[in-house]
């Protein structure tokens, strides 16, 4: 929560955390439900051919500091075309249910797509759909209400306002606004607020470096200001 208190811990039964990097929440097989997508897509050394996305129904937070075990989990196995690449960012298009992964250590980075319905039985190959003129993209998020998109690296945040109700690929062909950013120690997380009023950033834990939860108001983003 906004006080940095953990209110729900979900333990994924039988799942190994090789290098979890991002989480997306959005639609899935049952249109009446919402799902959590956990992206095991990090690969600092470029050693793993296959990446994994774990999908499960979004649980309800019923009591403070709850701790539950999730056993009903779908496993989406995929690879990126060409060379093995590190990646740290995941988004889901709430209209199409398509999943998007962004590579990290290239310049430019590339956007990859897994079109819905994606099999949970076969190994998939994501489609490379476009390049983006950035480097070291470490997090991204899609606003389900507005369709706006955020991406960040260690020094910058980029914001695409979706004024024309465009899909993700079409929107990302436009030039983003660069948001004034309070640089953090290893800042690798970004997420829209549930009500769409703005977004949060947070650091990974680093020894001797103090971390803070930052909030940026959306109404101040259009001109590149917090």
């Amino acid at each position: 929560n906004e006080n940095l208190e953990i209110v729900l811990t979900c333990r994924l039964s039988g799942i190994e955390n090789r290098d979890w990097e991002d989480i997306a929440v959005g639609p899935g097989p049952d249109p009446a439900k919402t799902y959590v997508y956990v992206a095991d897509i990090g690969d600092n050394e470029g050693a793993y051919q296959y990446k994994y996305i774990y999908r499960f129904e979004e649980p309800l937070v019923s009591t403070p500091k709850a701790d539950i075990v999730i056993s009903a989990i779908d496993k989406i196995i995929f690879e990126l075309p060409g060379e093995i690449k590190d990646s740290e960012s995941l988004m889901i298009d709430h209209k199409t249910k398509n999943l998007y992964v962004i590579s990290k250590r290239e310049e430019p980075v590339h956007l990859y797509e897994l079109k819905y319905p994606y099999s949970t039985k076969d190994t998939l190959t994501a489609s490379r759909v476009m390049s983006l003129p950035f480097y070291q993209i470490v997090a991204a998020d899609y606003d389900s209400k507005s369709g706006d998109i955020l991406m960040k690296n260690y020094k910058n945040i980029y914001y695409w306002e979706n004024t024309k109700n465009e899909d993700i690929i079409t929107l990302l062909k436009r030039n983003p606004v660069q948001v004034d950013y309070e640089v953090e120690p290893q800042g690798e997380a970004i997420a829209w607020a549930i009500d769409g009023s703005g977004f949060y950033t947070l650091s990974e834990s680093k020894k001797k470096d103090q971390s803070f939860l930052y909030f940026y108001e959306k109404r101040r983003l259009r001109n590149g200001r917090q």
Side-chain angles (χ1 to χ4, degrees):
N1 61 20
E2 290 186 347
N3 296 319
L4 296 184
E5 299 167 334
I6 296 174
V7 296
L8 176 63
T9 299
C10 302
R11 305 184 187 278
L12 306 191
S13 177
I15 301 299
E16 175 188 359
N17 181 347
R18 188 177 72 189
D19 194 355
W20 295 2
E21 289 288 359
D22 206 355
I23 289 177
V25 178
D30 187 338
K33 297 178 180 178
T34 305
Y35 294 79
V36 177
Y37 295 77
V38 178
D40 194 346
I41 58 176
D43 191 356
N44 291 336
E45 305 300 326
Y48 303 104
Q49 181 176 358
Y50 300 114
K51 300 179 182 294
Y52 309 104
I53 297 174
Y54 302 107
R55 179 181 64 196
F56 55 92
E57 294 179 16
E58 183 180 19
L60 297 176
V61 180
S62 56
T63 59
K65 299 183 179 180
D67 193 324
I68 63 174
V69 176
I70 304 291
S71 57
I73 305 167
D74 295 321
K75 185 177 182 180
I76 301 164
I77 305 173
F78 70 101
E79 60 183 343
L80 303 181
E83 298 178 356
I84 296 173
K85 296 171 183 175
D86 187 21
S87 55
E88 296 190 359
S89 307
L90 175 71
M91 295 187 294
I92 182 169
D93 187 317
H94 286 238
K95 294 181 179 178
T96 65
K97 304 181 188 178
N98 295 342
L99 292 168
Y100 294 91
V101 171
I102 305 162
S103 60
K104 178 183 178 182
R105 299 180 189 276
E106 301 174 282
E107 191 172 5
V109 298
H110 289 89
L111 180 76
Y112 298 87
E113 179 184 62
L114 289 168
K115 281 187 174 292
Y116 187 84
Y118 14 82
S119 174
T120 57
K121 297 180 180 179
D122 300 322
T123 299
L124 311 174
T125 300
S127 300
R128 190 173 78 175
V129 293
M130 65 186 300
S131 61
L132 296 164
F134 311 117
Y135 177 59
Q136 287 195 330
I137 294 297
V138 295
D141 203 22
Y142 174 90
D143 186 343
S144 62
K145 294 180 174 63
S146 67
D148 293 358
I149 291 175
L150 294 165
M151 289 187 195
K152 77 177 301 296
N153 55 25
Y154 294 114
K155 296 182 179 180
N156 303 290
I157 291 176
Y158 305 101
Y159 166 56
W160 287 262
E161 186 179 10
N162 198 347
T163 59
K164 297 183 179 181
N165 197 29
E166 295 173 317
D167 61 79
I168 285 178
I169 295 174
T170 303
L171 180 61
L172 291 180
K173 291 178 181 178
R174 301 184 180 277
N175 293 325
V177 170
Q178 187 169 317
V179 179
D180 284 351
Y181 173 47
E182 187 72 29
V183 176
E184 306 156 278
Q186 200 169 343
E188 294 195 356
I190 196 165
W192 286 107
I194 293 175
D195 62 4
S197 61
F199 65 88
Y200 298 91
T201 69
L202 187 67
S203 295
E204 284 197 5
S205 176
K206 294 192 73 175
K207 293 180 180 179
K208 299 181 180 179
D209 288 328
Q210 191 170 12
S211 296
F212 300 91
L213 178 66
Y214 290 93
F215 179 72
Y216 296 75
E217 291 184 85
K218 187 174 183 179
R219 64 183 177 86
R220 303 177 66 180
L221 297 183
R222 291 177 176 84
N223 59 0
R225 295 292 180 260
Q226 294 181 24

